[in-house]
Amino acid sequence: MQPYRYTDLNEHSEWLNELGRLEARMTASLGEEVRLVAYSPETHELPSESACRAGLDD
């Protein structure tokens, strides 16, 4: 299973507002409080080929 992290929405107030509106609509419709969480898959940079092959060109 791929690891996830919280999505950084600090610079995206429009999406935070949209999530808030959707939470309010869902809460009203379902009759219980709803909180939505945004996750993104972790991205792991693979080492460059030169980092894996150190010393082979010496």
Side-chain angles (χ1 to χ4, degrees), residues 25-41:
R25 287 178 37 214
M26 292 177 73
T27 295
S29 176
L30 298 171
E32 60 182 297
E33 188 172 346
V34 173
R35 291 292 172 237
L36 301 174
V37 180
Y39 290 105
S40 294

Side-chain angles (χ1 to χ4, degrees), residues 4-43:
Y4 286 84
R5 60 175 173 74
Y6 290 110
T7 303
D8 182 3
L9 296 175
N10 287 326
E11 301 296 321
H12 302 280
S13 61
E14 70 280 6
W15 287 114
L16 290 172
N17 293 333
E18 184 70 24
L19 283 171
R21 286 190 293 272
L22 184 54
E23 288 172 341
R25 287 178 37 214
M26 292 177 73
T27 295
S29 176
L30 298 171
E32 60 182 297
E33 188 172 346
V34 173
R35 291 292 172 237
L36 301 174
V37 180
Y39 290 105
S40 294
E42 280 287 348
T43 56

